[in-house]
Amino acid sequence: MTRLLPAALAVFAIALAGCSSDKPSSSHQASPSLASDVLANSTTPSTVNVAPSALPGSTALSLPSKSTTPEVAYLETLPANGVTIRDEEGTVGTGQRMCEALTAGQALDAAAQFGLDEQPWTADQAKMAVRVAAHTLCPTNAAKVGN
């Protein structure tokens, strides 16, 4: 465990360094400050490995192929799937509530209601956010929203 944490932090630092650019970007990147807070305060596993998959009834879900924290993977994956981020901390909270709803047995539409209530998302964006959350924040629920 003591060797895993420094290795995970090194990979994360390299990933963040690769994300910096002087050019403006249309996609949103997770901020280093939130990412640092996530690493310091996360109670979830320290890494998550996700691979691209197609979901029934939707376009292919674009997921990061590298290892990262679940929260950072969620924040990086939303814009790649057409979901805007207004506030990183609030967006992660919404994703966590979506996961709690799925864990409690609620359907995708019911979990998506958190996105409609808390974020400036359309119904389609809220449903995509549930799919992204299920694959990044709470992978035990991924089967509930499709592979």
Side-chain angles (χ1 to χ4, degrees), residues 59-111:
T59 60
L61 180 64
S62 174
L63 294 169
S65 59
K66 62 185 178 203
S67 293
T68 186
T69 66
E71 293 85 355
V72 171
Y74 179 66
L75 290 172
E76 289 177 348
T77 304
L78 287 174
N81 289 283
V83 181
T84 57
I85 296 175
R86 174 183 60 187
D87 166 49
E88 291 176 344
E89 198 170 321
T91 300
V92 169
T94 298
Q96 290 169 338
R97 283 181 284 287
M98 290 173 165
C99 283
E100 291 168 3
L102 292 173
T103 300
Q106 294 184 15
L108 184 139
D109 288 340

Side-chain angles (χ1 to χ4, degrees), residues 20-85:
S20 65
S21 172
D22 292 336
K23 299 177 186 174
S25 173
S26 61
S27 68
H28 187 279
Q29 297 293 329
S31 74
S33 62
L34 178 63
S36 298
D37 290 345
V38 166
L39 280 176
N41 299 318
S42 179
T43 58
T44 57
S46 61
T47 61
V48 61
N49 292 311
V50 289
S53 62
L55 297 174
S58 70
T59 60
L61 180 64
S62 174
L63 294 169
S65 59
K66 62 185 178 203
S67 293
T68 186
T69 66
E71 293 85 355
V72 171
Y74 179 66
L75 290 172
E76 289 177 348
T77 304
L78 287 174
N81 289 283
V83 181
T84 57
I85 296 175

